[in-house]
Amino acid sequence: MRSGTGPVRALLLASISAFATATPAFSQAAPADTANDAATATENAVAEDEVIIVTASKRTATLLDTPISVAVTDGATIQQAQVRDLLDLQSLVPSLRVTQLQSSANTNFIIRGFGNGANNPGIEPSVGVFIDGVYRSRSAAQIGDLPNVERIEVLRGPQSTLFGKNASAGIISVVTARPKHEFGGSAEVSYGNYNALIVKADVTGPINDQLAFSIAGNYNRRDGFARDLNLNTDFNDRNRWGIRGQLLWEPSDSLTLRLIGDYDSIDENCCIAVNLVDGPTGNAVRALGGRIDSANPFSFNVYNNFESTNKIKNYGLSLQVDYDIGDKLTLTGIGAWRGVRSSTNQDSDFTSADLIGSNVADTAIDTWTGEVRLASNFDGFFNFLVGAYYFTESIDFGNNLTYGRDFRNYANILSGGGYRNVEALLGFPTGSFGAAGQGIFEDYRYSNQAISLFGQFDFAVSEKLTFTAGFNYTEDRKRVSTNVTSTDVFSGLDLVAIGTQIGVPAAVANNPQFNPLLALRPLQFLPPFLNYPNAVEDGRTFDKDLAYTLRLNYKVSDRISLYVTHATGFKASSFNLSRDSRPPASIFIPGSPVSNPAASPIRTAGLALANLTTGTRSASPEYATVYEGGIKAQFGRASFNLAVFQQSLEGFQQNVFLGTGFQLVNAEKQSTYGVEFDANVRPVDQLALNLNVAWLDPRYDKFTQSSFGDLSGTRPAGIPEYSVTIGGSYRFDLGEHRLIVRGDFNHQSNVQVVDGYPDFRREQNLLNGAATLQLKNGLELSIWGRNITNDRFLLSAFPSVAQTGSFSGYPNQPRTFGGTARFTF
């Protein structure tokens, strides 16, 4: 057992013991409550007749009969806790972490310490997000405000057997309310601090006896909680809206068709990056008249010279067809098309000096998916689910990074005048180096096709014991082409060769002790880019994998079940769609021609460029493995769930920012030992309590090629040892009306924020609360607060762009509070 587990083990054992001891006292059945009484955020029912249904495993089953570690948050809890999007959901699910980075479109989902996919459209996520059975392939398509939600299911651990190539860490499944054949709906208005205004409405009803509809809309705007003191504007505002329509056609008892169309839009000034360390370059910024709110991350004051742009449009259509073949078989088909268009721009130096003139990224993503599956519902010892899945996606991505009007003088200050002196020495016209508008102009074309065949087979070995075996065979093909041009004159100079032209002997021209020009190499930020496909690199990947699941589920009684699982998962190769994509060392040996570098395929083909270095074009696939055992118990007034697991990921794809760009590499192996414990108890009808605990002990078993050297044997950053959520609600019956008071507290233990920088740490203590008055006529009035104690911590940290020795970071959102009026009819 690894160190540091004692307190958590004691807490888990004490919690389990307490709930187990309490159970007999609560054996008297309690009446089932309405959805408005829900106060739990885990996978448990808290009344004897209450049954929670889960569909994320592609079958409709009770949660007790679903032998998977899954957290379920129902719609009433989402409403009462003021959970607006998946970013808010993490306060209720300890094993889930959601981090928003430099733009609204860059959000990372992590389950059990595994997850990636933000910051680069060529990197697919390890956590799959599905909304009504349709896969959302990139974070820009996942972050909008939640629609009319019925429940959210978070499946923890590899789920590739049923969900394919991008579920190696787990999945998040959002299930929305279906249209109803009875007229009804709701309207909601919420107002809070920072002038936050949220308006939501939905209506549903019949068109005829067979056809029903629903339509929902939402509008969400807020002033920024940060202030740009240079521009005198708010920062980190919110401005988004969306609409969603559905048709449900049931022409017969055996056939159902559900058509969904949605569109949402985001236009925000996001996201605040604060100064953590004001390094030696800070004086150069100030010498230019620029300003930095030095080492004051939680003042929420920043200095930029232009506002950030985040314009995102996300839309799509889906059709699900369910056909019952008799009463023993169900055939399901889901087809979908989704589109994402995003445009972002950011003052990426995060100072009021005009160092970075623009950092414009335009992304267009079109995704088509199709799935067909056949599920049985036999009475005998055998049942099955088999299916096929098709995925095709195209991405057009452009990123233009240009220098601002102060960059030339900034580089000259850092070089002690050497920048301009070399310009004059080499006979370049004045102003040739670092001129405003110079930069790198990137264009990428990406296509991906994948097909999966999957199946899961259940064998009832006995009345209580079920053996499950499942498989997923996936083939994945990707293709990338680039058109990248650098206009940075200085970055295109071969300073080694130039050194020989000013009298430095060729034998020592690559030695800074003899060639003074090499001191200027750190200012060559944007060197020429080797485009591909080329004569050596084809820009293609082809991966295939057979993932599987083996599981035993033992039903001890109608209230207790046990399971053990061994499963594998798979995530296909990812491409680095950025200027930091470079040929690997296996095909290129860097060096100036005057240094006579050894022959390599790139050089032999005549493709070598000045200052071309090695790196990666893509990351190899991820292969996940999990061994897990669990117990699920549901009693009259109490329930608990316990999962113990060892999960590993070979080839974990890590994308790390190093100050001037991202490096995409594979960690040979990362593993996590963990325990997840969820419990609910209702001592009396009016009171519901819940406890969720996650203990995680991760390690880089082997990571020799990290951006920070050999990290083998160390703990990966950003993964707290334990996360605890304690929550509860109390219902006051006021005649025909009700008052529900609820709260939850989320604690995450102290942890290093990012790899390579041990000085940056965080500890999270979030307190949320709400009180809702429910009137008999359908009107609800609420007051609420999130992060009530105004806890402050860092979401991430990174080297400041082109500012060696300085560091920046993203702070969490401060306290928010407000009131809501909601009417249901």
Side-chain angles (χ1 to χ4, degrees), residues 149-205:
V149 174
E150 187 172 281
R151 65 184 179 276
I152 300 176
E153 304 169 6
V154 179
L155 278 67
R156 300 172 285 213
Q159 306 296 328
S160 294
T161 298
L162 292 180
F163 292 93
K165 62 172 183 162
N166 293 318
S168 58
I171 71 161
I172 301 170
S173 175
V174 179
V175 180
T176 69
R178 291 156 56 103
K180 296 179 175 59
H181 287 279
E182 295 181 359
F183 183 74
S186 67
E188 174 185 320
V189 177
S190 181
Y191 185 80
N193 60 333
Y194 302 109
N195 201 27
L197 175 65
I198 298 173
V199 180
K200 299 172 66 175
D202 65 270
V203 63
T204 185

Side-chain angles (χ1 to χ4, degrees), residues 26 34 36 42 166 220 286 340 350 352 398 418 528 532 593 605 614 775 790:
F26 304 141
T34 65
N36 287 335
T42 62
N166 293 318
N220 184 346
R286 282 181 281 272
V340 178
F350 308 121
S352 61
Y532 66 97
T614 57
L775 304 181
N790 205 27

Side-chain angles (χ1 to χ4, degrees), residues 9 13 163 213 236 269 309 595 751 753 769:
R9 290 177 63 194
L13 292 174
F163 292 93
F213 79 96
N236 270 52
N269 180 15
T309 299
S595 300
V751 67
V753 174

Side-chain angles (χ1 to χ4, degrees), residues 582-601:
R582 300 182 179 95
S586 59
I587 61 172
F588 181 60
I589 299 175
S592 171
V594 301
S595 300
N596 296 316
S600 60

Side-chain angles (χ1 to χ4, degrees), residues 362-401:
D362 293 310
T363 308
I365 304 175
D366 288 286
T367 308
W368 296 263
T369 57
E371 178 180 358
V372 60
R373 62 180 186 261
L374 180 67
S376 69
N377 185 29
F378 300 142
D379 297 326
F381 82 103
F382 173 71
N383 273 288
F384 68 86
L385 184 153
V386 295
Y389 181 79
Y390 177 73
F391 172 92
T392 183
E393 184 169 70
S394 64
I395 300 177
D396 293 342
F397 175 58
N399 189 190
N400 298 334
L401 177 70

Side-chain angles (χ1 to χ4, degrees), residues 748-810:
Q748 295 187 4
S749 59
N750 192 278
V751 67
Q752 183 176 323
V753 174
V754 291
D755 285 332
Y757 306 107
D759 293 338
F760 303 123
R761 305 187 66 85
R762 70 162 169 261
E763 180 177 312
Q764 179 173 314
N765 295 285
L766 292 178
L767 177 65
N768 307 310
T772 301
L773 177 64
Q774 298 177 340
L775 304 181
K776 183 181 180 182
N777 62 3
L779 179 64
E780 298 180 11
L781 300 174
S782 302
I783 56 173
W784 51 266
R786 296 188 63 82
N787 190 13
I788 293 172
T789 60
N790 205 27
D791 189 34
R792 296 178 176 182
F793 51 88
L794 291 176
L795 301 175
S796 186
F798 56 93
S800 301
V801 177
Q803 298 168 69
T804 303
S806 293
F807 288 84
S808 300
Y810 301 113

